[in-house]
Amino acid sequence: MGLLVESLGLEQFRNFLRREVRFSPTTTILVGRNAVGKTNTVEALQMLTAGASFRHPAPSQLVLAGRDRARIGARLVGDGRVVDVACDITPQRRQFSRNGKRCQAADMPTSLMSVLFCPDDLSLVKRGGSFRRAELDGFGCQAAVGYSKLLAAYTRAVEQRNRLLKDGVPDPSLLSAWDSSVALGGATLLQARQRLFGRLREKILEVYGSIAGGEQLDCAYHSTVCDDPLALSRDDLADIFLERLDEARQDDLRRQQTTVGPHRDDIAFSIDGRDARGFGSQGQQRSAALALKMAEVLVSEDVTGARPLLLLDDVMSELDEARRQSVMEFAQSGIQTVVTTTNLGYFSDELLSRSKVVEFGG
């Protein structure tokens, strides 16, 4: 079964002086008007499971105005275990812990993973490639051990190379040294990302077929390095990457940035053979985004053997009735789900009778 969130405590976090929320093992609906703390509650749950917030706040933004520290903590239960996870926050830093022992943010998903779906995600298909890369990398950091280290190492290498490009590269050998670092780190990251995408793609197509009957969705990973990174060894891929960097060097010098590599890759969606970004309707694009999020839940279960926590922040108002029904039917298939809303009318009486409703007021 895996772990479930039993309770969450918030102290001097965001707009809360002190608040405790207890959760159903199935569906918990947080209801209240805007700006009363529902999304802040979801953010705390995400931090304690994913180790990061979708808002990317500075630590100081997490502390209640006029206070010098905050704390969030959750009790996870299941499989005969009790795990207490927490994060102590000052305006300068965040410190995570599990059962009272310090740990890193990247360690948090090893207790319980989470998948967040918020209104911005509905436009994932039509937004720029950086958003799709961030989505895949964010999931990878939770689902794959070591992925976050690969991503951080590659990002640092690209940043150092870009700094040399902006400084004018007084010594070409310096740039060549960073080319090697970027190529090796990029090859390692690219193969990890491709393996993860391959698992997601299978589930994305399956889920889309169930929520948009009759239409055929496809998605593909477009690499700027080579067409099939997984067909090569890591070292051979790194050699090809080096060749691409050499070919692009003059353009990179002119633009003062690295123009090839995983940080420039993209994921393309097509529906019935046509580019979903350029030709898909809003409904089709939203269905594709839904399918991606649902696929993340299913792959999480495949990877860990347990279902993740599903966080649905204010998406019900953005979906039509058919898609709301698809999402909630999926959530009811044994997944602990936390939903925020301003309107309980989006949910059937039958669903409400089986859910825990928590009111947020004031």
Side-chain angles (χ1 to χ4, degrees):
M1 179 183 75
L3 294 170
L4 301 173
V5 181
E6 180 181 78
S7 61
L8 172 72
L10 308 169
E11 296 178 20
Q12 300 178 172
F13 177 78
R14 291 285 193 182
N15 66 314
F16 295 106
L17 179 60
R18 184 169 282 103
R19 176 82 193 239
E20 182 174 359
V21 183
R22 301 188 70 82
F23 298 90
S24 164
T26 54
T27 300
T28 302
I29 301 173
L30 312 181
V31 61
R33 61 181 179 80
N34 290 326
V36 294
K38 303 186 304 298
T39 296
N40 294 342
T41 303
V42 166
E43 179 182 35
L45 288 169
Q46 188 189 34
M47 288 177 60
L48 293 172
T49 51
S53 162
F54 68 105
R55 291 164 154 173
H56 308 293
S60 59
Q61 295 174 293
L62 300 172
V63 179
L64 180 67
R67 304 298 170 121
D68 60 0
R69 62 185 60 250
R71 180 179 174 85
I72 56 176
R75 171 154 289 189
L76 314 179
V77 298
D79 297 336
R81 294 185 293 153
V82 176
V83 179
D84 290 317
V85 291
C87 182
D88 290 286
I89 307 161
T90 67
Q92 293 76 38
R93 66 194 299 265
R94 285 165 282 208
Q95 178 60 63
F96 291 90
S97 62
R98 181 165 48 227
N99 288 335
K101 296 181 179 179
R102 288 189 174 188
C103 62
Q104 300 299 312
D107 297 327
M108 302 309 285
T110 61
S111 297
L112 174 65
M113 287 181 59
S114 64
V115 173
L116 171 79
F117 192 28
C118 67
D120 283 348
D121 294 324
L122 289 167
S123 58
L124 192 62
V125 172
K126 68 179 181 181
R127 299 176 85 179
S130 63
F131 294 95
R132 289 180 288 279
R133 288 191 298 271
E135 180 66 27
L136 186 54
D137 286 338
F139 180 67
C141 288
Q142 287 199 73
V145 175
Y147 192 101
S148 60
K149 291 183 179 179
L150 294 179
L151 179 62
Y154 174 71
T155 300
R156 282 195 302 270
V158 171
E159 288 173 348
Q160 290 289 343
R161 186 176 190 270
N162 287 347
R163 189 170 294 118
L164 276 176
L165 291 168
K166 290 176 182 176
D167 290 343
V169 196
D171 183 352
S173 66
L174 291 175
L175 190 59
S176 296
W178 281 110
D179 283 358
S180 297
S181 181
V182 167
L184 184 58
T188 308
L189 173 64
L190 180 53
Q191 290 187 328
R193 196 192 266 176
Q194 279 265 268
R195 285 191 291 268
L196 184 66
F197 174 75
R199 301 182 74 162
L200 279 171
R201 179 180 179 274
E202 179 183 347
K203 301 295 185 183
I204 291 169
L205 306 193
E206 176 185 317
V207 172
Y208 189 88
S210 70
I211 63 178
E215 293 178 348
Q216 185 173 356
L217 176 75
D218 200 1
C219 55
Y221 185 95
H222 289 176
S223 169
T224 55
V225 177
C226 75
D227 292 337
D228 190 358
L230 293 180
L232 303 168
S233 70
R234 185 193 65 171
D235 289 343
D236 286 344
L237 181 58
D239 288 341
I240 291 175
F241 198 166
L242 273 174
E243 293 175 10
R244 297 289 180 269
L245 289 170
D246 185 62
E247 292 167 359
R249 178 170 290 197
Q250 292 307 312
D251 192 34
D252 288 359
L253 285 166
R254 180 178 58 83
R255 298 173 63 177
Q256 299 183 332
Q257 57 185 294
T258 304
T259 59
V260 295
H263 64 292
R264 291 297 185 113
D265 294 352
D266 201 355
I267 299 168
F269 292 84
S270 61
I271 298 171
D272 292 337
R274 301 185 57 166
D275 175 33
R277 187 178 181 187
F279 297 98
S281 67
Q282 183 185 69
Q284 289 172 324
Q285 292 172 347
R286 290 184 166 199
S287 291
L290 276 174
L292 171 58
K293 287 294 183 175
M294 293 179 184
E296 289 180 3
V297 172
L298 297 174
V299 172
S300 298
E301 184 177 9
D302 288 347
V303 169
T304 66
R307 296 193 169 184
L309 175 66
L310 179 58
L311 303 170
L312 303 174
D313 184 42
D314 199 28
V315 293
M316 295 297 111
S317 61
E318 302 291 333
L319 299 173
D320 59 30
E321 185 175 354
R323 290 180 179 84
R324 281 200 298 268
Q325 183 175 346
S326 294
V327 171
M328 295 315 299
E329 285 178 355
F330 180 77
Q332 293 295 297
S333 61
I335 303 164
Q336 186 181 28
T337 304
V338 178
V339 192
T340 72
T341 186
T342 58
N343 183 4
L344 292 179
Y346 293 134
F347 307 93
S348 68
D349 290 341
E350 190 270 337
L351 175 65
L352 289 173
S353 70
R354 292 189 286 112
S355 303
K356 179 182 178 74
V357 177
V358 179
E359 294 187 0
F360 281 67

